[in-house]
Amino acid sequence: MSIRIVVADDQELIRGAFAMILDNEPDMAVVAEAADGAEALAAVREHAPDVLVLDIRMPGMDGIEAARRLRGEPVRVLMLTTFGQDDYVYDALRAGASGFLLKDVRRAELVHAVRVVAAGESLLAPAVTTRLIETAVRGQAPAVTPWAGLDRLTPREHEALRLLGRGLTNAEMAAALVVSEHTVKTHVSSVLAKLGLRDRAQAVVAAYESGLIVAGQAPPSAE
């Protein structure tokens, strides 16, 4: 079954090139193109794609706002931009993106990225996401967001989210919690489901935004 894709970029040549590259893959089908965020929203709701390849900087509604409005929908968002600053990556992740690439990405890297996010994974490793968030928010006053579903987490799941926020792997989490990796996977799946998160990278964002972790603060020695 093909991965259904919508490509959104205000530059027609770039949009067309990405669409052609992806549509030529045997396991992919570009079902629509869009020139701005509003068109991207309409295309997603009409065609129900698996992946939205979305430019961040567009006139009218930009990619960040479009991704934010799609957070409750099953489509997975892969952000593209000509800018590489950490704050764009952070904003994209906060908006619900599962991956982030620069527009000068190579053909093979673009194809790989679409397959990764379509498979339910994040393109940025949680440890990398943690570093980006630390860089983006260091020195700022903490802004705690009341994440919906946080009060539904069990004490163990709450601790799992805190460890996810530190960028720990399943093996490292298992050691910290003194449980098996299978149990960790169960906790992680439950955390993602209860908080409406698509992947572990977004769990890092949730841990920071909910105040479980403060940028620049060293983890407790027990970890």
Side-chain angles (χ1 to χ4, degrees), residues 68 71 89-97 145 147 202 205 209:
R68 189 176 293 117
R71 285 192 63 171
V89 181
Y90 181 38
D91 288 343
L93 290 168
R94 289 183 66 193
T145 301
W147 276 77
Q202 290 176 20
V205 177
E209 292 293 317

Side-chain angles (χ1 to χ4, degrees), residues 4-197:
R4 294 168 56 81
I5 304 163
V6 168
V7 178
D9 193 298
D10 63 310
Q11 299 181 58
E12 184 178 359
L13 289 178
I14 293 178
R15 183 174 72 243
F18 287 157
M20 181 179 65
I21 290 171
L22 297 172
D23 205 45
N24 281 337
E25 292 298 312
D27 59 338
M28 298 181 185
V30 175
V31 296
E33 297 181 29
D36 57 35
E39 288 186 11
L41 286 178
V44 166
R45 287 162 182 167
E46 179 180 354
H47 298 282
D50 302 298
V51 177
L52 169 61
V53 179
L54 183 63
D55 185 21
I56 285 184
R57 298 289 292 267
M58 294 185 291
M61 184 189 298
D62 64 16
I64 297 291
E65 179 60 25
R68 189 176 293 117
R69 296 191 186 192
L70 290 169
R71 285 192 63 171
E73 303 195 27
V75 63
R76 300 181 65 80
V77 178
L78 176 60
M79 287 288 194
L80 289 165
T81 185
T82 54
F83 300 87
Q85 292 99 326
D86 286 347
D87 56 344
Y88 283 107
V89 181
Y90 181 38
D91 288 343
L93 290 168
R94 289 183 66 193
S98 295
F100 186 95
L101 290 174
L102 297 180
K103 283 188 180 181
D104 61 0
V105 63
R106 296 180 179 179
R107 175 191 299 257
E109 293 171 336
L110 173 63
V111 171
H112 172 71
V114 169
R115 290 193 177 118
V116 167
V117 299
E121 301 295 331
S122 58
L123 195 62
L124 286 171
V128 175
T129 308
T130 298
R131 178 185 61 78
L132 291 169
I133 293 176
E134 285 276 354
T135 301
V137 304
R138 187 181 297 276
Q140 300 178 13
V144 177
T145 301
W147 276 77
L150 197 63
D151 58 347
R152 297 173 52 205
L153 299 184
T154 66
R156 208 56 156 166
E157 291 166 353
H158 195 274
E159 179 65 9
L161 175 60
R162 190 174 64 84
L163 296 178
L164 281 171
R166 293 292 179 196
L168 270 63
T169 65
N170 282 349
E172 291 168 337
M173 290 176 65
L177 296 173
V178 196
V179 296
S180 68
E181 287 192 47
H182 176 76
T183 298
V184 166
K185 291 179 182 178
T186 300
H187 288 328
V188 170
S189 295
S190 184
V191 167
L192 297 182
K194 289 182 179 180
L195 298 185
L197 304 171

